[in-house]
């Protein structure tokens, strides 16, 4: 098979890019290892920045997110006693949208057939070749038969564990990584949220987050040591822990109910450079990971995809090579700022085992400073709502 752009991975990054290229009349094919139901079973964060909403709107795929999404004008930091509200709408003139990131993937997946976007699910043994030239190709097996797609560009949207990043030679690659000494234990339940806005709490017993998917579905997290096992956390134990860590006000409004999903996710900060090598571009988790504090993962994938779509459109519509050459620098400038914000918020809101009384005093001082400073709140708000693309 021959196409202009072969996209590896049909997560939100790959599907969004496929749709944007199709809309620009650029030929592309998406190949994906999993089947659709597996992909839709992955529970992800639920806060959308303007860039993500705007891209869905540009594609005309925003009807459901506009109907079902909850517009959020602010969020809260809790320090064990009080709620420090960050009035995002007043400080930035913008809002975020609560809408499950899995639902974005579903909307993109459902629209693929009607937009003529080819997505081949269930492929195995994906391998990338000749990425340093201008005739790269990708091979895979499907139902036991070996297949090949020739393209002008390959785009790695295959997440943290995919093969694309590994195709870039060691000599040109550089990795930056921070693995955190805890994970987030998440619980999803069909109960109303304890508060109409998100609460990120730093309590003596650890971190907690109160989030939601809708007025009837809540998503909560507590941080736990990496040695913890999800089987040791009954629903009741999680609700008890949340009630303590989120503070008395949230606890009083918290409705408990049976979990419909429960899992522990490790936290990591990771950046791979460069995000382009020859005819291979990387987008989303294939190139970088942020810890979930701040919910930047999907939004960062969306800005990468936006830059990649612009670069590829310039190439195919105007014979302009410069945009592709500039892709990595443009994407990384925003990636590093999102990494900084996610890391800062993670440091501020978690207890690190290696921290002593001084580091704890710094957290207390910083939260106190934030509570009284419009400048500090504005800085947090503009990052939370999403930096310009
Ligand atoms: N061959 C084909 N597909 C692959 C392979 C492979 N060898 N390896 C991985 N994939 C697929 C995965 O199955 C997955 O569907 O690539 C896709 C990558 O999707 P994600 O991991 O969701 O990554 P991305 O699309 O970059 O999503 C970015 O969205 O939901 C949020 O927080 C999430 O940070 C993440 C962000
Ligand atoms: C979520 O709703 O799952 C969520 C919200 C905010 C975060 C992370 C996860 O920072």
């Amino acid at each position: 098979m021959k196409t202009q752009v072969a996209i590896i991975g049909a997560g939100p990054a790959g599907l969004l890019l496929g749709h944007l290229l199709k809309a620009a009349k650029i030929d592309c094919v998406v190949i994906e290892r999993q089947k659709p139901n597996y992909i839709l079973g992955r529970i992800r964060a639920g806060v959308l920045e303007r860039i993500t909403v705007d891209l869905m709107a540009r594609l005309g795929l925003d009807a459901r997110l506009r109907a079902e999404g909850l517009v959020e004008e602010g969020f809260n930091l809790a320090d064990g006693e009080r709620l420090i509200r960050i009035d995002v709408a007043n400080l930035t003139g913008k809002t975020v949208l609560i809408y499950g990131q899995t639902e974005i993937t579903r909307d993109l997946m459902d629209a693929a057939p009607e937009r003529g976007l080819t997505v081949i699910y269930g492929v195995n043994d994906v391998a990338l070749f000749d990425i340093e030239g201008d005739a790269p190709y990708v091979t895979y097996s499907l139902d036991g038969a070996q297949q090949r797609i020739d393209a002008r560009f390959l785009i790695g949207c295959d997440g943290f564990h995919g093969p694309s990043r590994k195709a870039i030679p060691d000599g040109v690659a550089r990795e930056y990584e921070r693995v955190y000494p805890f994970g987030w234990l998440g619980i999803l339940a069909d109960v109303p949220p304890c508060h109409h806005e998100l609460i990120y709490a730093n309590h003596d017993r650890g971190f907690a987050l109160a989030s939601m998917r809708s007025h009837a579905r809540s998503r909560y997290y507590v941080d736990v040591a990496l040695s913890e096992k999800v089987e040791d956390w009954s629903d009741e134990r999680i609700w008890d822990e949340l009630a303590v860590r989120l503070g008395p006000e949230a606890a009083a409004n918290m409705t408990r109910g049976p979990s419909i999903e429960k899992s522990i996710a490790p936290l990591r900060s990771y950046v791979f450079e460069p995000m382009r090598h020859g005819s291979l571009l990387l987008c989303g988790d294939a190139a970088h990971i942020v810890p979930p504090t701040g919910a930047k993962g999907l939004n960062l994938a969306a800005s990468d995809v936006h830059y990649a779509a612009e670069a590829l459109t310039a190439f195919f519509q105007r014979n302009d090579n410069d945009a592709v050459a500039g892709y990595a620098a443009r994407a990384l400038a925003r990636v590093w700022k999102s990494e900084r914000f996610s890391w800062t918020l993670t440091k501020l809101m978690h207890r690190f085992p290696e921290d002593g009384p001084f580091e704890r005093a710094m957290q207390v001082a910083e939260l106190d400073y934030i509570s009284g400073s419009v400048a500090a709140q504005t800085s947090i708000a503009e990052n939370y709502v999403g930096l310009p693309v």
Side-chain angles (χ1 to χ4, degrees), residues 277-297:
H277 184 67
S279 297
L280 170 65
L281 282 67
L282 303 177
C283 294
D285 281 14
H288 42 73
I289 297 289
V290 286
T293 334
K296 293 293 171 207

Side-chain angles (χ1 to χ4, degrees), residues 190-246:
D190 279 332
V191 292
C194 67
H195 196 78
H196 66 288
E197 293 174 340
L198 270 62
I199 303 173
Y200 293 86
N202 180 341
H203 185 272
D204 280 339
R205 291 181 61 88
F207 170 83
L209 168 59
S211 181
M212 69 199 85
R213 291 289 174 276
S214 68
H215 293 307
R217 180 169 284 189
S218 301
R219 179 73 167 155
Y220 289 96
Y221 301 90
V222 289
D223 76 331
V224 295
L226 288 169
S227 53
E228 292 284 331
K229 303 232 171 330
V230 75
E231 306 80 74
D232 295 331
W233 286 84
S234 65
D235 290 359
E236 203 186 343
R237 183 174 172 205
I238 302 178
W239 291 118
D240 286 346
E241 197 63 39
L242 283 164
V244 175
R245 295 188 190 187
L246 288 168

